[in-house]
Amino acid sequence: MSKIEMLTPENSAIALIDYQPAMYQGVQSHDRLVVFNNAQVLAKAARLFKIPTVLSTVAERSFSGPFMSEVTGLFPTHEVIDRTSLNSWLDPAFRRRWRRRAARSSSSQDCGRKDA
């Protein structure tokens, strides 16, 4: 694969991680409403360009609450992967969804990852 190859729906995916009510409490560096709105814009772009999208929550039932409905409504057939670890890369169900290159977005955690 060339280093200048463009991202396409065939060689990439987008993960939206932890866009949940309790997780917004940790956001201090940006206005929370801006983070909320940016997540919606990214999700709408992913749907428009047919980019595979993974939705993931942490402790949805016990602590953090549901993934934002403004995004899950755009992907009604997508299963939201609920994790028990804050580190999404440690969850086997989450890792199975990944392709070689990925764009990641999270409400609260570092999204850095080495390519698989």
Side-chain angles (χ1 to χ4, degrees), residues 15-20 53-61 64-84 91 93-94 97:
L16 297 171
I17 303 168
D18 299 345
Y19 287 97
Q20 303 165 261
T53 303
V54 178
L55 308 177
S56 184
T57 57
V58 64
E60 176 181 0
R61 290 179 194 90
S64 300
F67 200 96
M68 56 190 281
S69 61
E70 292 81 358
V71 170
T72 56
L74 296 171
F75 302 102
T77 61
H78 283 47
E79 170 194 1
V80 177
I81 300 168
D82 190 37
R83 308 176 325 276
T84 56
D91 187 277
F94 185 84
R97 302 280 176 97

PDB file of all heavy atoms in Angstrom, residues 15-20 53-61 64-84 91 93-94 97:
ATOM      1  N   ALA A  15     -14.560   5.103  14.034  1.00  0.00           N
ATOM      2  CA  ALA A  15     -15.092   4.670  15.330  1.00  0.00           C
ATOM      3  C   ALA A  15     -15.525   5.890  16.107  1.00  0.00           C
ATOM      4  O   ALA A  15     -14.788   6.870  16.212  1.00  0.00           O
ATOM      5  CB  ALA A  15     -14.034   3.915  16.122  1.00  0.00           C
ATOM      6  N   LEU A  16     -16.722   5.844  16.620  1.00  0.00           N
ATOM      7  CA  LEU A  16     -17.230   6.881  17.516  1.00  0.00           C
ATOM      8  C   LEU A  16     -17.326   6.237  18.890  1.00  0.00           C
ATOM      9  O   LEU A  16     -18.076   5.275  19.082  1.00  0.00           O
ATOM     10  CB  LEU A  16     -18.582   7.390  17.017  1.00  0.00           C
ATOM     11  CG  LEU A  16     -18.527   8.058  15.636  1.00  0.00           C
ATOM     12  CD1 LEU A  16     -19.916   8.340  15.114  1.00  0.00           C
ATOM     13  CD2 LEU A  16     -17.719   9.342  15.700  1.00  0.00           C
ATOM     14  N   ILE A  17     -16.536   6.739  19.817  1.00  0.00           N
ATOM     15  CA  ILE A  17     -16.325   6.067  21.096  1.00  0.00           C
ATOM     16  C   ILE A  17     -16.798   6.928  22.260  1.00  0.00           C
ATOM     17  O   ILE A  17     -16.393   8.096  22.387  1.00  0.00           O
ATOM     18  CB  ILE A  17     -14.824   5.756  21.279  1.00  0.00           C
ATOM     19  CG1 ILE A  17     -14.315   4.909  20.107  1.00  0.00           C
ATOM     20  CG2 ILE A  17     -14.552   5.066  22.605  1.00  0.00           C
ATOM     21  CD1 ILE A  17     -12.808   4.796  20.048  1.00  0.00           C
ATOM     22  N   ASP A  18     -17.640   6.366  23.102  1.00  0.00           N
ATOM     23  CA  ASP A  18     -18.017   6.949  24.396  1.00  0.00           C
ATOM     24  C   ASP A  18     -18.736   8.300  24.325  1.00  0.00           C
ATOM     25  O   ASP A  18     -18.540   9.146  25.189  1.00  0.00           O
ATOM     26  CB  ASP A  18     -16.796   7.077  25.314  1.00  0.00           C
ATOM     27  CG  ASP A  18     -16.149   5.752  25.619  1.00  0.00           C
ATOM     28  OD1 ASP A  18     -16.788   4.716  25.361  1.00  0.00           O
ATOM     29  OD2 ASP A  18     -15.009   5.745  26.105  1.00  0.00           O
ATOM     30  N   TYR A  19     -19.573   8.492  23.340  1.00  0.00           N
ATOM     31  CA  TYR A  19     -20.398   9.708  23.312  1.00  0.00           C
ATOM     32  C   TYR A  19     -21.639   9.442  24.163  1.00  0.00           C
ATOM     33  O   TYR A  19     -22.716   9.159  23.660  1.00  0.00           O
ATOM     34  CB  TYR A  19     -20.742  10.096  21.872  1.00  0.00           C
ATOM     35  CG  TYR A  19     -19.549  10.670  21.159  1.00  0.00           C
ATOM     36  CD1 TYR A  19     -18.761   9.885  20.336  1.00  0.00           C
ATOM     37  CD2 TYR A  19     -19.174  11.997  21.357  1.00  0.00           C
ATOM     38  CE1 TYR A  19     -17.646  10.411  19.707  1.00  0.00           C
ATOM     39  CE2 TYR A  19     -18.058  12.526  20.735  1.00  0.00           C
ATOM     40  CZ  TYR A  19     -17.303  11.728  19.911  1.00  0.00           C
ATOM     41  OH  TYR A  19     -16.189  12.253  19.301  1.00  0.00           O
ATOM     42  N   GLN A  20     -21.431   9.536  25.478  1.00  0.00           N
ATOM     43  CA  GLN A  20     -22.443   9.198  26.477  1.00  0.00           C
ATOM     44  C   GLN A  20     -22.518  10.320  27.514  1.00  0.00           C
ATOM     45  O   GLN A  20     -21.520  11.007  27.762  1.00  0.00           O
ATOM     46  CB  GLN A  20     -22.056   7.899  27.184  1.00  0.00           C
ATOM     47  CG  GLN A  20     -21.853   6.726  26.269  1.00  0.00           C
ATOM     48  CD  GLN A  20     -21.128   5.607  26.988  1.00  0.00           C
ATOM     49  OE1 GLN A  20     -19.929   5.465  26.838  1.00  0.00           O
ATOM     50  NE2 GLN A  20     -21.864   4.824  27.763  1.00  0.00           N
ATOM     51  N   THR A  53     -18.757   2.313  10.035  1.00  0.00           N
ATOM     52  CA  THR A  53     -18.723   3.051  11.298  1.00  0.00           C
ATOM     53  C   THR A  53     -18.977   2.101  12.458  1.00  0.00           C
ATOM     54  O   THR A  53     -19.883   1.278  12.405  1.00  0.00           O
ATOM     55  CB  THR A  53     -19.786   4.171  11.287  1.00  0.00           C
ATOM     56  OG1 THR A  53     -19.532   5.016  10.151  1.00  0.00           O
ATOM     57  CG2 THR A  53     -19.731   5.008  12.538  1.00  0.00           C
ATOM     58  N   VAL A  54     -18.157   2.240  13.493  1.00  0.00           N
ATOM     59  CA  VAL A  54     -18.278   1.432  14.702  1.00  0.00           C
ATOM     60  C   VAL A  54     -18.684   2.366  15.837  1.00  0.00           C
ATOM     61  O   VAL A  54     -18.094   3.435  16.014  1.00  0.00           O
ATOM     62  CB  VAL A  54     -16.941   0.734  15.037  1.00  0.00           C
ATOM     63  CG1 VAL A  54     -17.063  -0.065  16.325  1.00  0.00           C
ATOM     64  CG2 VAL A  54     -16.498  -0.145  13.882  1.00  0.00           C
ATOM     65  N   LEU A  55     -19.701   1.974  16.591  1.00  0.00           N
ATOM     66  CA  LEU A  55     -20.164   2.756  17.744  1.00  0.00           C
ATOM     67  C   LEU A  55     -19.854   1.952  18.999  1.00  0.00           C
ATOM     68  O   LEU A  55     -20.121   0.756  19.055  1.00  0.00           O
ATOM     69  CB  LEU A  55     -21.668   3.000  17.645  1.00  0.00           C
ATOM     70  CG  LEU A  55     -22.190   3.602  16.340  1.00  0.00           C
ATOM     71  CD1 LEU A  55     -23.709   3.701  16.371  1.00  0.00           C
ATOM     72  CD2 LEU A  55     -21.574   4.958  16.083  1.00  0.00           C
ATOM     73  N   SER A  56     -19.294   2.618  20.006  1.00  0.00           N
ATOM     74  CA  SER A  56     -18.928   1.895  21.212  1.00  0.00           C
ATOM     75  C   SER A  56     -19.181   2.741  22.458  1.00  0.00           C
ATOM     76  O   SER A  56     -18.946   3.948  22.460  1.00  0.00           O
ATOM     77  CB  SER A  56     -17.452   1.494  21.147  1.00  0.00           C
ATOM     78  OG  SER A  56     -17.107   0.716  22.271  1.00  0.00           O
ATOM     79  N   THR A  57     -19.640   2.065  23.509  1.00  0.00           N
ATOM     80  CA  THR A  57     -19.883   2.701  24.804  1.00  0.00           C
ATOM     81  C   THR A  57     -19.081   1.973  25.877  1.00  0.00           C
ATOM     82  O   THR A  57     -18.588   0.873  25.655  1.00  0.00           O
ATOM     83  CB  THR A  57     -21.371   2.621  25.192  1.00  0.00           C
ATOM     84  OG1 THR A  57     -21.766   1.246  25.196  1.00  0.00           O
ATOM     85  CG2 THR A  57     -22.252   3.405  24.250  1.00  0.00           C
ATOM     86  N   VAL A  58     -18.987   2.614  27.028  1.00  0.00           N
ATOM     87  CA  VAL A  58     -18.374   1.957  28.181  1.00  0.00           C
ATOM     88  C   VAL A  58     -19.378   2.008  29.331  1.00  0.00           C
ATOM     89  O   VAL A  58     -19.976   3.049  29.601  1.00  0.00           O
ATOM     90  CB  VAL A  58     -17.024   2.594  28.578  1.00  0.00           C
ATOM     91  CG1 VAL A  58     -17.179   4.030  29.027  1.00  0.00           C
ATOM     92  CG2 VAL A  58     -16.324   1.763  29.644  1.00  0.00           C
ATOM     93  N   ALA A  59     -19.627   0.878  29.947  1.00  0.00           N
ATOM     94  CA  ALA A  59     -20.517   0.779  31.116  1.00  0.00           C
ATOM     95  C   ALA A  59     -21.846   1.508  30.889  1.00  0.00           C
ATOM     96  O   ALA A  59     -22.297   2.275  31.725  1.00  0.00           O
ATOM     97  CB  ALA A  59     -19.814   1.311  32.355  1.00  0.00           C
ATOM     98  N   GLU A  60     -22.475   1.214  29.776  1.00  0.00           N
ATOM     99  CA  GLU A  60     -23.716   1.905  29.408  1.00  0.00           C
ATOM    100  C   GLU A  60     -24.804   1.762  30.469  1.00  0.00           C
ATOM    101  O   GLU A  60     -25.420   2.747  30.865  1.00  0.00           O
ATOM    102  CB  GLU A  60     -24.237   1.379  28.072  1.00  0.00           C
ATOM    103  CG  GLU A  60     -25.564   1.990  27.671  1.00  0.00           C
ATOM    104  CD  GLU A  60     -26.097   1.445  26.366  1.00  0.00           C
ATOM    105  OE1 GLU A  60     -25.456   0.583  25.749  1.00  0.00           O
ATOM    106  OE2 GLU A  60     -27.185   1.886  25.975  1.00  0.00           O
ATOM    107  N   ARG A  61     -25.046   0.564  30.939  1.00  0.00           N
ATOM    108  CA  ARG A  61     -26.156   0.331  31.866  1.00  0.00           C
ATOM    109  C   ARG A  61     -25.833   0.713  33.307  1.00  0.00           C
ATOM    110  O   ARG A  61     -26.708   1.108  34.059  1.00  0.00           O
ATOM    111  CB  ARG A  61     -26.577  -1.133  31.804  1.00  0.00           C
ATOM    112  CG  ARG A  61     -27.252  -1.471  30.494  1.00  0.00           C
ATOM    113  CD  ARG A  61     -27.650  -2.938  30.413  1.00  0.00           C
ATOM    114  NE  ARG A  61     -27.975  -3.301  29.058  1.00  0.00           N
ATOM    115  CZ  ARG A  61     -27.104  -3.765  28.170  1.00  0.00           C
ATOM    116  NH1 ARG A  61     -25.852  -3.929  28.509  1.00  0.00           N
ATOM    117  NH2 ARG A  61     -27.481  -4.061  26.949  1.00  0.00           N
ATOM    118  N   SER A  64     -22.419   5.125  32.555  1.00  0.00           N
ATOM    119  CA  SER A  64     -22.252   6.204  31.575  1.00  0.00           C
ATOM    120  C   SER A  64     -23.491   6.588  30.785  1.00  0.00           C
ATOM    121  O   SER A  64     -23.533   7.657  30.187  1.00  0.00           O
ATOM    122  CB  SER A  64     -21.137   5.837  30.596  1.00  0.00           C
ATOM    123  OG  SER A  64     -19.933   5.647  31.284  1.00  0.00           O
ATOM    124  N   GLY A  65     -24.477   5.722  30.717  1.00  0.00           N
ATOM    125  CA  GLY A  65     -25.680   6.021  29.953  1.00  0.00           C
ATOM    126  C   GLY A  65     -25.543   5.617  28.498  1.00  0.00           C
ATOM    127  O   GLY A  65     -24.487   5.172  28.055  1.00  0.00           O
ATOM    128  N   PRO A  66     -26.611   5.784  27.723  1.00  0.00           N
ATOM    129  CA  PRO A  66     -26.623   5.334  26.330  1.00  0.00           C
ATOM    130  C   PRO A  66     -25.803   6.239  25.411  1.00  0.00           C
ATOM    131  O   PRO A  66     -25.555   7.404  25.720  1.00  0.00           O
ATOM    132  CB  PRO A  66     -28.103   5.398  25.958  1.00  0.00           C
ATOM    133  CG  PRO A  66     -28.648   6.470  26.829  1.00  0.00           C
ATOM    134  CD  PRO A  66     -27.889   6.377  28.125  1.00  0.00           C
ATOM    135  N   PHE A  67     -25.410   5.678  24.278  1.00  0.00           N
ATOM    136  CA  PHE A  67     -24.752   6.453  23.226  1.00  0.00           C
ATOM    137  C   PHE A  67     -25.739   7.509  22.747  1.00  0.00           C
ATOM    138  O   PHE A  67     -26.953   7.280  22.724  1.00  0.00           O
ATOM    139  CB  PHE A  67     -24.384   5.520  22.070  1.00  0.00           C
ATOM    140  CG  PHE A  67     -23.312   6.060  21.175  1.00  0.00           C
ATOM    141  CD1 PHE A  67     -21.999   5.694  21.356  1.00  0.00           C
ATOM    142  CD2 PHE A  67     -23.621   6.930  20.149  1.00  0.00           C
ATOM    143  CE1 PHE A  67     -21.000   6.188  20.525  1.00  0.00           C
ATOM    144  CE2 PHE A  67     -22.649   7.436  19.317  1.00  0.00           C
ATOM    145  CZ  PHE A  67     -21.322   7.060  19.499  1.00  0.00           C
ATOM    146  N   MET A  68     -25.244   8.667  22.331  1.00  0.00           N
ATOM    147  CA  MET A  68     -26.141   9.756  21.936  1.00  0.00           C
ATOM    148  C   MET A  68     -27.083   9.330  20.801  1.00  0.00           C
ATOM    149  O   MET A  68     -26.649   8.823  19.772  1.00  0.00           O
ATOM    150  CB  MET A  68     -25.352  11.013  21.581  1.00  0.00           C
ATOM    151  CG  MET A  68     -24.315  10.859  20.524  1.00  0.00           C
ATOM    152  SD  MET A  68     -23.218  12.287  20.339  1.00  0.00           S
ATOM    153  CE  MET A  68     -24.241  13.398  19.412  1.00  0.00           C
ATOM    154  N   SER A  69     -28.363   9.521  21.031  1.00  0.00           N
ATOM    155  CA  SER A  69     -29.382   9.048  20.088  1.00  0.00           C
ATOM    156  C   SER A  69     -29.310   9.772  18.743  1.00  0.00           C
ATOM    157  O   SER A  69     -29.750   9.236  17.730  1.00  0.00           O
ATOM    158  CB  SER A  69     -30.772   9.208  20.698  1.00  0.00           C
ATOM    159  OG  SER A  69     -31.029  10.568  20.984  1.00  0.00           O
ATOM    160  N   GLU A  70     -28.754  10.965  18.722  1.00  0.00           N
ATOM    161  CA  GLU A  70     -28.612  11.708  17.467  1.00  0.00           C
ATOM    162  C   GLU A  70     -27.690  10.975  16.496  1.00  0.00           C
ATOM    163  O   GLU A  70     -27.798  11.160  15.283  1.00  0.00           O
ATOM    164  CB  GLU A  70     -28.070  13.119  17.734  1.00  0.00           C
ATOM    165  CG  GLU A  70     -29.038  14.009  18.479  1.00  0.00           C
ATOM    166  CD  GLU A  70     -29.052  13.784  19.989  1.00  0.00           C
ATOM    167  OE1 GLU A  70     -28.334  12.904  20.504  1.00  0.00           O
ATOM    168  OE2 GLU A  70     -29.806  14.499  20.668  1.00  0.00           O
ATOM    169  N   VAL A  71     -26.804  10.146  17.021  1.00  0.00           N
ATOM    170  CA  VAL A  71     -25.907   9.353  16.176  1.00  0.00           C
ATOM    171  C   VAL A  71     -26.475   7.963  15.947  1.00  0.00           C
ATOM    172  O   VAL A  71     -26.508   7.478  14.820  1.00  0.00           O
ATOM    173  CB  VAL A  71     -24.485   9.276  16.776  1.00  0.00           C
ATOM    174  CG1 VAL A  71     -23.640   8.252  16.034  1.00  0.00           C
ATOM    175  CG2 VAL A  71     -23.824  10.646  16.737  1.00  0.00           C
ATOM    176  N   THR A  72     -26.938   7.297  16.989  1.00  0.00           N
ATOM    177  CA  THR A  72     -27.473   5.939  16.801  1.00  0.00           C
ATOM    178  C   THR A  72     -28.672   5.949  15.855  1.00  0.00           C
ATOM    179  O   THR A  72     -28.901   4.979  15.143  1.00  0.00           O
ATOM    180  CB  THR A  72     -27.860   5.281  18.137  1.00  0.00           C
ATOM    181  OG1 THR A  72     -28.795   6.103  18.829  1.00  0.00           O
ATOM    182  CG2 THR A  72     -26.631   5.043  19.004  1.00  0.00           C
ATOM    183  N   GLY A  73     -29.405   7.045  15.821  1.00  0.00           N
ATOM    184  CA  GLY A  73     -30.519   7.168  14.891  1.00  0.00           C
ATOM    185  C   GLY A  73     -30.085   7.171  13.434  1.00  0.00           C
ATOM    186  O   GLY A  73     -30.848   6.793  12.545  1.00  0.00           O
ATOM    187  N   LEU A  74     -28.850   7.580  13.181  1.00  0.00           N
ATOM    188  CA  LEU A  74     -28.309   7.577  11.815  1.00  0.00           C
ATOM    189  C   LEU A  74     -27.899   6.172  11.369  1.00  0.00           C
ATOM    190  O   LEU A  74     -27.782   5.900  10.182  1.00  0.00           O
ATOM    191  CB  LEU A  74     -27.083   8.492  11.727  1.00  0.00           C
ATOM    192  CG  LEU A  74     -27.320   9.979  11.969  1.00  0.00           C
ATOM    193  CD1 LEU A  74     -25.995  10.714  12.074  1.00  0.00           C
ATOM    194  CD2 LEU A  74     -28.175  10.559  10.844  1.00  0.00           C
ATOM    195  N   PHE A  75     -27.652   5.305  12.357  1.00  0.00           N
ATOM    196  CA  PHE A  75     -27.187   3.939  12.082  1.00  0.00           C
ATOM    197  C   PHE A  75     -28.092   2.939  12.805  1.00  0.00           C
ATOM    198  O   PHE A  75     -27.651   2.237  13.713  1.00  0.00           O
ATOM    199  CB  PHE A  75     -25.736   3.776  12.557  1.00  0.00           C
ATOM    200  CG  PHE A  75     -24.779   4.743  11.934  1.00  0.00           C
ATOM    201  CD1 PHE A  75     -24.337   5.857  12.630  1.00  0.00           C
ATOM    202  CD2 PHE A  75     -24.303   4.549  10.643  1.00  0.00           C
ATOM    203  CE1 PHE A  75     -23.454   6.756  12.067  1.00  0.00           C
ATOM    204  CE2 PHE A  75     -23.414   5.441  10.067  1.00  0.00           C
ATOM    205  CZ  PHE A  75     -22.988   6.551  10.776  1.00  0.00           C
ATOM    206  N   PRO A  76     -29.351   2.864  12.413  1.00  0.00           N
ATOM    207  CA  PRO A  76     -30.297   2.035  13.169  1.00  0.00           C
ATOM    208  C   PRO A  76     -29.981   0.538  13.159  1.00  0.00           C
ATOM    209  O   PRO A  76     -30.406  -0.182  14.058  1.00  0.00           O
ATOM    210  CB  PRO A  76     -31.639   2.318  12.493  1.00  0.00           C
ATOM    211  CG  PRO A  76     -31.294   2.806  11.133  1.00  0.00           C
ATOM    212  CD  PRO A  76     -29.974   3.509  11.269  1.00  0.00           C
ATOM    213  N   THR A  77     -29.223   0.068  12.190  1.00  0.00           N
ATOM    214  CA  THR A  77     -28.909  -1.360  12.138  1.00  0.00           C
ATOM    215  C   THR A  77     -27.582  -1.697  12.827  1.00  0.00           C
ATOM    216  O   THR A  77     -27.230  -2.867  12.938  1.00  0.00           O
ATOM    217  CB  THR A  77     -28.833  -1.858  10.678  1.00  0.00           C
ATOM    218  OG1 THR A  77     -27.787  -1.150  10.003  1.00  0.00           O
ATOM    219  CG2 THR A  77     -30.159  -1.655   9.973  1.00  0.00           C
ATOM    220  N   HIS A  78     -26.860  -0.689  13.289  1.00  0.00           N
ATOM    221  CA  HIS A  78     -25.561  -0.926  13.932  1.00  0.00           C
ATOM    222  C   HIS A  78     -25.733  -1.345  15.390  1.00  0.00           C
ATOM    223  O   HIS A  78     -26.488  -0.729  16.136  1.00  0.00           O
ATOM    224  CB  HIS A  78     -24.707   0.340  13.907  1.00  0.00           C
ATOM    225  CG  HIS A  78     -24.075   0.624  12.591  1.00  0.00           C
ATOM    226  ND1 HIS A  78     -24.745   0.580  11.403  1.00  0.00           N
ATOM    227  CD2 HIS A  78     -22.810   0.973  12.283  1.00  0.00           C
ATOM    228  CE1 HIS A  78     -23.934   0.891  10.424  1.00  0.00           C
ATOM    229  NE2 HIS A  78     -22.748   1.131  10.931  1.00  0.00           N
ATOM    230  N   GLU A  79     -24.993  -2.352  15.763  1.00  0.00           N
ATOM    231  CA  GLU A  79     -24.923  -2.747  17.169  1.00  0.00           C
ATOM    232  C   GLU A  79     -23.939  -1.803  17.856  1.00  0.00           C
ATOM    233  O   GLU A  79     -22.852  -1.541  17.345  1.00  0.00           O
ATOM    234  CB  GLU A  79     -24.405  -4.177  17.270  1.00  0.00           C
ATOM    235  CG  GLU A  79     -24.068  -4.600  18.677  1.00  0.00           C
ATOM    236  CD  GLU A  79     -23.239  -5.870  18.717  1.00  0.00           C
ATOM    237  OE1 GLU A  79     -22.908  -6.418  17.661  1.00  0.00           O
ATOM    238  OE2 GLU A  79     -22.913  -6.290  19.839  1.00  0.00           O
ATOM    239  N   VAL A  80     -24.320  -1.276  19.009  1.00  0.00           N
ATOM    240  CA  VAL A  80     -23.404  -0.463  19.802  1.00  0.00           C
ATOM    241  C   VAL A  80     -22.646  -1.426  20.709  1.00  0.00           C
ATOM    242  O   VAL A  80     -23.248  -2.167  21.486  1.00  0.00           O
ATOM    243  CB  VAL A  80     -24.156   0.600  20.639  1.00  0.00           C
ATOM    244  CG1 VAL A  80     -23.180   1.385  21.503  1.00  0.00           C
ATOM    245  CG2 VAL A  80     -24.937   1.536  19.720  1.00  0.00           C
ATOM    246  N   ILE A  81     -21.335  -1.434  20.582  1.00  0.00           N
ATOM    247  CA  ILE A  81     -20.503  -2.342  21.375  1.00  0.00           C
ATOM    248  C   ILE A  81     -20.311  -1.735  22.758  1.00  0.00           C
ATOM    249  O   ILE A  81     -19.717  -0.667  22.897  1.00  0.00           O
ATOM    250  CB  ILE A  81     -19.140  -2.565  20.704  1.00  0.00           C
ATOM    251  CG1 ILE A  81     -19.325  -3.161  19.320  1.00  0.00           C
ATOM    252  CG2 ILE A  81     -18.251  -3.454  21.571  1.00  0.00           C
ATOM    253  CD1 ILE A  81     -18.074  -3.149  18.476  1.00  0.00           C
ATOM    254  N   ASP A  82     -20.825  -2.401  23.778  1.00  0.00           N
ATOM    255  CA  ASP A  82     -20.657  -1.924  25.154  1.00  0.00           C
ATOM    256  C   ASP A  82     -19.468  -2.651  25.775  1.00  0.00           C
ATOM    257  O   ASP A  82     -19.406  -3.874  25.769  1.00  0.00           O
ATOM    258  CB  ASP A  82     -21.920  -2.160  25.974  1.00  0.00           C
ATOM    259  CG  ASP A  82     -21.860  -1.459  27.314  1.00  0.00           C
ATOM    260  OD1 ASP A  82     -21.318  -0.335  27.385  1.00  0.00           O
ATOM    261  OD2 ASP A  82     -22.348  -2.030  28.302  1.00  0.00           O
ATOM    262  N   ARG A  83     -18.524  -1.871  26.293  1.00  0.00           N
ATOM    263  CA  ARG A  83     -17.302  -2.428  26.868  1.00  0.00           C
ATOM    264  C   ARG A  83     -17.313  -2.282  28.384  1.00  0.00           C
ATOM    265  O   ARG A  83     -18.038  -1.469  28.932  1.00  0.00           O
ATOM    266  CB  ARG A  83     -16.077  -1.681  26.323  1.00  0.00           C
ATOM    267  CG  ARG A  83     -16.018  -1.591  24.816  1.00  0.00           C
ATOM    268  CD  ARG A  83     -14.838  -0.748  24.346  1.00  0.00           C
ATOM    269  NE  ARG A  83     -14.498   0.377  25.187  1.00  0.00           N
ATOM    270  CZ  ARG A  83     -15.078   1.588  25.132  1.00  0.00           C
ATOM    271  NH1 ARG A  83     -16.056   1.812  24.278  1.00  0.00           N
ATOM    272  NH2 ARG A  83     -14.694   2.559  25.922  1.00  0.00           N
ATOM    273  N   THR A  84     -16.452  -3.054  29.025  1.00  0.00           N
ATOM    274  CA  THR A  84     -16.260  -2.900  30.469  1.00  0.00           C
ATOM    275  C   THR A  84     -14.968  -2.163  30.769  1.00  0.00           C
ATOM    276  O   THR A  84     -14.764  -1.698  31.877  1.00  0.00           O
ATOM    277  CB  THR A  84     -16.229  -4.267  31.169  1.00  0.00           C
ATOM    278  OG1 THR A  84     -15.208  -5.064  30.570  1.00  0.00           O
ATOM    279  CG2 THR A  84     -17.572  -4.963  31.062  1.00  0.00           C
ATOM    280  N   ASP A  91     -11.005  -4.540  23.993  1.00  0.00           N
ATOM    281  CA  ASP A  91     -12.241  -5.298  23.828  1.00  0.00           C
ATOM    282  C   ASP A  91     -12.206  -6.090  22.521  1.00  0.00           C
ATOM    283  O   ASP A  91     -12.105  -5.506  21.442  1.00  0.00           O
ATOM    284  CB  ASP A  91     -13.429  -4.340  23.833  1.00  0.00           C
ATOM    285  CG  ASP A  91     -14.739  -5.081  23.837  1.00  0.00           C
ATOM    286  OD1 ASP A  91     -15.195  -5.498  22.753  1.00  0.00           O
ATOM    287  OD2 ASP A  91     -15.302  -5.250  24.932  1.00  0.00           O
ATOM    288  N   ALA A  93     -14.542  -7.638  20.791  1.00  0.00           N
ATOM    289  CA  ALA A  93     -15.632  -7.311  19.856  1.00  0.00           C
ATOM    290  C   ALA A  93     -15.323  -6.018  19.112  1.00  0.00           C
ATOM    291  O   ALA A  93     -15.606  -5.883  17.924  1.00  0.00           O
ATOM    292  CB  ALA A  93     -16.951  -7.191  20.604  1.00  0.00           C
ATOM    293  N   PHE A  94     -14.730  -5.056  19.803  1.00  0.00           N
ATOM    294  CA  PHE A  94     -14.365  -3.796  19.172  1.00  0.00           C
ATOM    295  C   PHE A  94     -13.235  -4.003  18.164  1.00  0.00           C
ATOM    296  O   PHE A  94     -13.296  -3.520  17.044  1.00  0.00           O
ATOM    297  CB  PHE A  94     -13.942  -2.797  20.256  1.00  0.00           C
ATOM    298  CG  PHE A  94     -13.663  -1.426  19.728  1.00  0.00           C
ATOM    299  CD1 PHE A  94     -14.696  -0.522  19.542  1.00  0.00           C
ATOM    300  CD2 PHE A  94     -12.372  -1.036  19.406  1.00  0.00           C
ATOM    301  CE1 PHE A  94     -14.446   0.748  19.046  1.00  0.00           C
ATOM    302  CE2 PHE A  94     -12.118   0.219  18.915  1.00  0.00           C
ATOM    303  CZ  PHE A  94     -13.151   1.115  18.739  1.00  0.00           C
ATOM    304  N   ARG A  97     -13.863  -5.304  14.533  1.00  0.00           N
ATOM    305  CA  ARG A  97     -14.493  -4.406  13.557  1.00  0.00           C
ATOM    306  C   ARG A  97     -13.493  -3.570  12.762  1.00  0.00           C
ATOM    307  O   ARG A  97     -13.877  -2.840  11.874  1.00  0.00           O
ATOM    308  CB  ARG A  97     -15.434  -3.438  14.275  1.00  0.00           C
ATOM    309  CG  ARG A  97     -16.513  -4.115  15.053  1.00  0.00           C
ATOM    310  CD  ARG A  97     -17.640  -4.546  14.131  1.00  0.00           C
ATOM    311  NE  ARG A  97     -18.633  -5.274  14.861  1.00  0.00           N
ATOM    312  CZ  ARG A  97     -19.747  -4.731  15.342  1.00  0.00           C
ATOM    313  NH1 ARG A  97     -20.004  -3.481  15.170  1.00  0.00           N
ATOM    314  NH2 ARG A  97     -20.592  -5.480  16.001  1.00  0.00           N
TER     315      ARG A  97
END
